Amino acid sequence: MFTVIVRPALFRLSRRDPEIAHHLIMRQLALAAHLPPLLRIIAAANAYHDPRLAREVFGLRFPNPVGLAGGFDKNGRALAALAALGFGFVEAGGVTRFPQPGQPRPRIFRLPQDEALINRMGLPNEGAAAIAVRLAHTPRPVAAREPRTRIPIGWQLAKSKVTPLDEAVDDYLFSLRKLYPFGDYFTINVSSPNTPDLVRLQERAPLAALLGAVVREAARLAGPNRPKPILVKISPDLTWSAIDDVIAVALATGVGGIVATNTTTDRSGLHHDPGEAGGLSGRPLAQRALAIVRYLSDHLAGQLPIIGVGGIAGPDDAKRMFDAGAALIQIYTSFIYQGPGIIKDINRALVRAIASREPAFASEREESLSHE
Ligand SMILES: Cc1cc2nc3c(=O)[nH]c(=O)nc-3n(C[C@H](O)[C@H](O)[C@H](O)COP(=O)(O)O)c2cc1C
């Protein structure tokens, strides 16, 4: 139904500016997030449950390993509805210390021949303080308390555009303090190509200073409890030696995992390049993201979990990501093109792979069974 009716209507309505479709969908989802009966109907129609899909990663229990990548629900307004659609976890944000409008519109471009998007959103969001106030005053939706639709929520933190690079650490710490009570994990975004110079925070020294400070602050905020995991999200445009630096810093600072990857500025292999600036996502990113996950997995040798993201457009891509060493995966662009059905498609295929004991999934099976 999504690809036959909903998508054509939405895409036609938002031909000039694809962001219109995004806001229309977000408004519906945000509304649904406050209507428990509707959430139950959405969950009954979409969510796919099988205990064999559950897994424990960085100390959190995920009902299934297919998450929504950062940037879709920037202000965390539709989390319960996204859970009802069947995601195993959602990364809300990216959130910055200061509210910011992002780049002028249009700033999202569809590349249907490539099942890809180019975006230069520039992290528009309400700002960490305002989001925290709203979350504190919003009763937790009933559905979010029900086991079947309770999923881990990550908050992704980024640097405000107005903050100079050498003051970035304080910016991230501010957002972490504000949002700490509302997340299960936090991802440090140093890889958005649309905030000037942000990617320079991936260099060894600034990354060590940033991640070290954030991990220490999470431990302080946790008090006697176990600190919530801090992840770092990297760019697909890093060289292998830069990735070696990220690995070294991640291990030294005690982050909980690595999210790979963000969008790319590379345009090779496109059927049609519209010549728009921004980050490219979707199918053309798949090979590079997969290669990076494989490289990370080989070099980390199980010391840190990896969330694989980039160009996953169906069950086969998802399986390749797990084969490459991802513990969890995230999708964004394929969710836009294919609708929520893709979550169920991937999860169903994973269950089949687990049931037939395909090598990459045999261990997950044992792990998931041991938690039942
Ligand atoms: C419109 C749009 C907005 C995005 N916003 C963010 C963001 O705020 N933070 C971030 O880390 N990644 C952001 N991303 C990148 C995605 O989280 C993801 O890493 C990337 O799109 C690759 O996955 P995909 O090929 O499944 O889309 C955005 C992507 C798109 C298409």
Side-chain angles (χ1 to χ4, degrees), residues 266-331:
D266 183 38
R267 295 291 188 267
S268 47
L270 288 183
H271 288 98
H272 170 67
D273 182 354
E276 295 289 350
L280 174 71
S281 60
R283 278 192 192 275
L285 179 58
Q287 264 196 339
R288 179 69 187 157
L290 189 66
I292 291 181
V293 168
R294 193 171 290 126
Y295 186 92
L296 286 171
S297 168
D298 288 349
H299 288 75
L300 283 165
Q303 294 175 87
L304 285 179
I306 303 157
I307 300 184
V309 49
I312 298 171
D316 290 342
D317 297 319
K319 283 201 224 169
R320 275 191 283 272
M321 265 299 183
F322 289 114
D323 280 340
L328 302 164
I329 59 170
Q330 292 175 332
I331 57 172

Side-chain angles (χ1 to χ4, degrees), residues 335-353:
F335 177 57
I336 303 294
Y337 278 95
Q338 300 181 38
I342 187 174
I343 314 164
K344 196 187 274 187
D345 288 349
I346 293 175
N347 277 325
R348 270 210 189 112
L350 292 180
V351 167
R352 278 197 298 271

Side-chain angles (χ1 to χ4, degrees), residues 146-320:
E146 289 179 358
R148 291 194 126 211
T149 42
R150 193 194 304 136
I151 58 168
I153 300 297
W155 278 95
Q156 187 195 95
L157 314 179
K159 184 188 80 66
S160 314
K161 190 179 176 193
V162 295
T163 301
L165 216 52
D166 57 3
E167 292 170 24
V169 172
D170 285 343
D171 215 67
Y172 285 91
L173 291 181
F174 179 93
S175 301
L176 180 72
R177 286 181 203 118
K178 291 290 175 196
L179 292 172
Y180 194 81
F182 307 107
D184 297 297
Y185 74 88
F186 297 86
T187 298
I188 302 303
N189 175 2
V190 281
S191 47
S192 267
N194 302 307
T195 297
D197 286 338
L198 184 77
V199 292
R200 285 183 45 206
L201 292 173
Q202 292 173 115
E203 290 164 17
R204 197 174 184 124
L207 188 65
L210 173 60
L211 294 182
V214 173
V215 168
R216 279 193 300 278
E217 186 62 12
R220 193 188 68 78
L221 290 164
N225 302 318
R226 193 177 156 278
K228 295 176 179 175
I230 304 295
L231 314 189
V232 58
K233 182 167 180 181
I234 64 170
S235 161
D237 302 330
L238 291 176
T239 61
W240 298 122
S241 91
I243 294 176
D244 290 339
D245 285 348
V246 170
I247 291 171
V249 170
L251 291 172
T253 50
V255 301
I258 300 180
V259 185
T261 68
N262 214 312
T263 55
T264 179
T265 54
D266 183 38
R267 295 291 188 267
S268 47
L270 288 183
H271 288 98
H272 170 67
D273 182 354
E276 295 289 350
L280 174 71
S281 60
R283 278 192 192 275
L285 179 58
Q287 264 196 339
R288 179 69 187 157
L290 189 66
I292 291 181
V293 168
R294 193 171 290 126
Y295 186 92
L296 286 171
S297 168
D298 288 349
H299 288 75
L300 283 165
Q303 294 175 87
L304 285 179
I306 303 157
I307 300 184
V309 49
I312 298 171
D316 290 342
D317 297 319
K319 283 201 224 169
R320 275 191 283 272

Side-chain angles (χ1 to χ4, degrees), residues 41-201:
I41 294 168
I42 295 174
N46 292 282
Y48 178 73
H49 298 282
D50 189 304
R52 287 170 291 183
L53 289 166
R55 57 206 61 202
E56 206 167 309
V57 185
F58 38 78
L60 299 175
R61 186 176 167 81
F62 295 77
N64 73 67
V66 184
L68 178 59
F72 185 86
D73 190 357
K74 290 183 184 295
N75 300 299
R77 287 182 172 273
L79 299 172
L82 292 164
L85 285 179
F87 283 112
F89 63 112
V90 174
E91 194 162 303
V95 176
T96 53
R97 171 178 188 163
F98 299 108
Q100 54 184 37
Q103 309 254 46
R105 287 167 70 169
R107 50 195 180 176
I108 305 182
F109 306 89
R110 288 191 201 110
L111 286 62
Q113 278 175 298
D114 290 291
E115 217 176 294
L117 296 170
I118 289 176
N119 92 83
R120 50 168 181 268
M121 298 293 286
L123 299 166
N125 75 99
E126 296 164 7
I131 292 172
V133 167
R134 175 167 44 78
L135 293 173
H137 290 94
T138 310
R140 214 166 145 74
V142 174
R145 282 184 259 131
E146 289 179 358
R148 291 194 126 211
T149 42
R150 193 194 304 136
I151 58 168
I153 300 297
W155 278 95
Q156 187 195 95
L157 314 179
K159 184 188 80 66
S160 314
K161 190 179 176 193
V162 295
T163 301
L165 216 52
D166 57 3
E167 292 170 24
V169 172
D170 285 343
D171 215 67
Y172 285 91
L173 291 181
F174 179 93
S175 301
L176 180 72
R177 286 181 203 118
K178 291 290 175 196
L179 292 172
Y180 194 81
F182 307 107
D184 297 297
Y185 74 88
F186 297 86
T187 298
I188 302 303
N189 175 2
V190 281
S191 47
S192 267
N194 302 307
T195 297
D197 286 338
L198 184 77
V199 292
R200 285 183 45 206
L201 292 173

